[in-house]
Amino acid sequence: MQKKPFVSHEKLKEITARYPTPFHLYDEAGIRRTAREVSAAFAWNRGFKEYFAVKACPNPFILKILQQEGCGVDCASMTELKLAEALGFSGDQIMFSSNETPAEEYEYARKLDAIINLDDITHINFLAEHGGLPERICLRYNPGGELLIGSAIMGQPDASKFGMTKQQIFSAVKALMRLGVKRFGLHALLASNAADNNYYPANAMILFELALELHRKLGAEIFMVNLSGGVGIPYQPEQAMPDIGKIGASIQETFSDLMSPEGLGDIALATEMGRFMTGPHGCLVATAIHKKHIYKEYIGLDACAVNLMRPAMYNAYHHITVSGKEDALCDHVYDVVGSLCENNDKFAVDRALPEINDGDLVIIHDTGAHGYSMGYNYNGKLKSAELLLKEDGEVQLIRRAETVKDYFATFDFCDILKGVE
């Protein structure tokens, strides 16, 4: 089974005539379509907002598209906060979900009046000293144990470094109420890349029940339940995309049954999806530049784990299409590799593909999230350009490729590398 690229071979040849590989290419039409599907799925909740996880694809052009579609941003660092600010996000358009947070980052988040999501009970006094406590705040919950959906283990919260125990949540709300905080949000991320339509509803149920208990026992005013991210995408070609419409309808039913009868029907729902929003709408385009025949058959690309580290880091599957050979028989078995001095620099191992020749264009699917953003500079390799395939078919450069000068820019305080170009 094969995945169909969002860009044709003819269009890709046109693009590579202008922009050298490797590069990440994003599909504007696909990103907008998904953003609208998410909005429609939760339109029943008047306060709903998707806070796009900036870490998934921190490109200002992509963030602008999502901003135009009504999304906010989920930030986790000073740099992400400043990127959001530069693009005009502020106040309730920003969730600041961080952990082990430096003082200056809390102070900056307070300056922007972002919704701060506290990861630990000890951060209450820390935030009070560095930025001050706002009137509305969010708390990150970790229920512990295993997240079971049916007989399947979807996640193991008790192995996660994130969030507070239930007892800590109650203690935190009591302390914050005494300190003048008036409204509370609840947040939890219990699984990652969950393809099951039941994950978000299960997470919602956990948070709804906690919200009800806080309201009943402490009189806490809950203004938001944030389901965070975790909704996955089908990296494997035989997998199905989660049905966001069904997910939204299922959560609506639970919300109506649990929250509305308690007078909590005005609580806003939020999501912080990254992978689901942009993941399928990006690809890494590379060129085959070497063939190696030893104990195995290798195809060497002009890209490497610097451009996409998920396969090296997680042994993650990314589907590969040889552009122009979409209908060819997959009768060759290759390891598709990059040039790093690391043996895990492999995009695919023992992958059945059509015969690949030097100069063939290779499309690595589903890099629209946690692709470029996870890049690094090992071996002095430079990060690639990012391009946007616009709705009108035009292609726009949205980030140029790094240069050697960029790589050495942090030595600009001295002349030890003066003259390096």
Side-chain angles (χ1 to χ4, degrees), residues 56-122:
C57 191
N59 186 293
F61 291 87
I62 302 298
L63 297 179
K64 267 295 181 186
I65 291 170
L66 291 165
Q67 185 180 46
Q68 291 163 6
E69 296 296 336
C71 298
V73 284
D74 159 35
C75 299
S77 70
M78 176 71 82
T79 303
E80 291 181 357
L81 285 171
K82 290 194 172 186
L83 176 58
E85 180 187 25
L87 294 173
F89 292 98
S90 64
D92 286 358
Q93 297 172 329
I94 304 174
M95 283 291 304
F96 185 54
S97 295
S98 63
N99 67 97
E100 312 309 334
T101 309
E104 59 270 21
E105 295 189 5
Y106 273 142
E107 290 165 0
Y108 209 84
R110 289 291 291 120
K111 172 190 167 186
L112 299 178
D113 196 28
I115 300 173
I116 292 176
N117 186 27
L118 287 183
D119 183 65
D120 188 68
I121 192 168
T122 63

Side-chain angles (χ1 to χ4, degrees), residues 287-292 299-300 325 356-361:
T287 301
I289 58 173
H290 291 291
K291 297 178 80 168
K292 184 172 184 177
I299 297 295
K325 298 182 179 180
I356 300 177
N357 298 309
D358 290 355
D360 281 347
L361 293 174

